[in-house]
Amino acid sequence: MSEPSIRLQTRFPSTDARIEEEPQLPGRGLLSAFGELDLHVAPELQERIGAAIDGGAELVVVDLSAVTFIDSLALGVLLGAANRLRGRGGNLRLVVPSPQLRRVFEIAQLDRVFALDWTRAGALTRPQPLR
Amino acid sequence: MPQEIATHFAHPVERELARVFDEHGILWEYEPHTFVLERADDGTVREAFTPDFFLPELGMYVECTVMRPALQNRKRRKVRKARGLGVNVQILGRHDLERLAVRWRLKRLEVAARTRARTAPRRPTHPARLP
């Protein structure tokens, strides 16, 4: 019987990790994340995305261009938000230009779940799926 | 000690995948749950499915299928049944693993994915934990 895995590296809270919200048209939310998205930042990420959804956003874009590390807890937050938005006919799009970060999504098989965009413009202008 | 060293894996590719999960901050458990797929009239279990990995922070199971095609088909049928029960399980076949390994230069995973088991690996017997 297995036990939870042990991370190979000890990680310390990142001091530069933060989430910023940028003004958008009604029905859209745009969040930018910076630094290391780990267990220290995941609750804030969840809260910010939740606030955007509660505020009526049907398209939420999370720009991960300035993210240097993401752990599975933060990935789980994004997954939960995507499921919540889908349940309302909405959509979560992720801007992931960094190959290192895309690698994490692919290894966790989440590239099958999320639509990953290379640019913010692409994420914001791509046609939305029909309801 | 890293969990991937302490756990007994049925196939080398599972050990390598666990190592890759560890390196990328993805929490995992090995074979923690067994799902009953079919019961006989008297209630005894006729068919069950134990996915290889559970990613607890993603609420997702991962099943590796690198064995002979005939056994792969049987596994894929089980995965379809499990999905029908609402289990979120992703299949990682030999080609998926090789593609992942080549794309991200995960040499050990690539070698392990090409290791063909001569017979179906026997799962260690343990009491099934139903989620």
Side-chain angles (χ1 to χ4, degrees):
Chain A
M1 202 66 68
S2 65
E3 294 172 6
S5 61
I6 296 166
R7 308 261 165 90
L8 290 178
Q9 291 178 313
T10 303
R11 302 201 71 85
F12 297 98
S14 171
T15 51
D16 64 345
R18 66 186 194 280
I19 316 286
E20 289 181 1
E21 189 173 354
E22 298 182 32
Q24 282 295 304
L25 295 171
R28 287 182 173 190
L30 173 60
L31 299 168
S32 296
F34 298 84
E36 298 186 352
L37 291 189
D38 55 15
L39 76 166
H40 302 285
V41 191
E44 188 189 346
L45 180 65
Q46 187 171 32
E47 197 177 300
R48 293 292 195 96
I49 298 176
I53 297 171
D54 293 340
E58 292 181 344
L59 168 65
V60 175
V61 173
V62 182
D63 188 342
L64 303 175
S65 303
V67 168
T68 53
F69 171 83
I70 188 165
D71 74 358
S72 57
L73 192 62
L75 289 172
V77 165
L78 294 172
L79 193 59
N83 290 337
R84 194 176 159 203
L85 272 164
R86 274 193 205 112
R88 299 171 167 217
N91 197 12
L92 177 78
R93 303 198 71 91
L94 304 177
V95 181
V96 190
S98 150
Q100 286 76 19
L101 220 58
R102 278 184 176 252
R103 173 176 163 144
V104 179
F105 279 90
E106 289 186 25
I107 284 164
Q109 302 304 296
L110 292 177
D111 58 322
R112 301 176 182 188
V113 179
F114 290 115
L116 305 181
D117 287 290
W118 291 97
T119 65
R120 182 185 286 199
L124 287 166
T125 58
R126 201 175 297 277
Q128 298 305 298
L130 295 174
R131 291 189 194 175
Chain B
M1 183 166 55
Q3 178 67 20
E4 55 97 359
I5 295 173
T7 305
H8 171 79
F9 293 98
H11 192 280
V13 80
E14 296 169 355
R15 176 183 294 109
E16 286 310 312
L17 194 58
R19 200 176 57 79
V20 171
F21 284 153
D22 271 342
E23 284 176 357
H24 291 81
I26 298 165
L27 211 62
W28 57 271
E29 296 173 22
Y30 184 66
E31 295 189 337
H33 302 135
T34 296
F35 297 93
V36 175
L37 300 178
E38 200 177 320
R39 285 186 189 274
D41 291 340
D42 63 359
T44 54
V45 175
R46 287 179 62 174
E47 190 177 30
F49 172 53
T50 306
D52 297 322
F53 291 98
F54 178 51
L55 310 183
E57 290 174 339
L58 301 177
M60 192 173 92
Y61 293 87
V62 175
E63 175 68 15
C64 300
T65 57
V66 291
M67 67 282 290
R68 290 179 296 163
L71 295 169
Q72 267 192 35
N73 291 339
R74 199 168 71 188
K75 253 192 179 181
R76 285 178 188 273
R77 191 178 54 77
K78 283 189 173 189
V79 167
R80 278 198 298 274
K81 277 188 167 183
R83 283 179 177 161
L85 296 172
V87 181
N88 178 7
V89 51
Q90 298 285 335
I91 300 179
L92 267 178
R94 181 187 301 276
H95 292 301
D96 298 318
L97 287 159
E98 284 181 0
R99 185 184 57 81
L100 197 66
V102 169
R103 184 166 155 77
W104 298 114
R105 297 177 185 174
L106 304 166
K107 193 66 191 169
R108 286 169 60 169
L109 181 65
E110 186 183 349
V111 170
R114 287 176 179 158
T115 305
R116 190 177 288 270
R118 274 176 292 185
T119 57
R122 291 293 300 174
R123 297 286 183 212
T125 53
H126 57 72
R129 272 206 285 147
L130 302 178

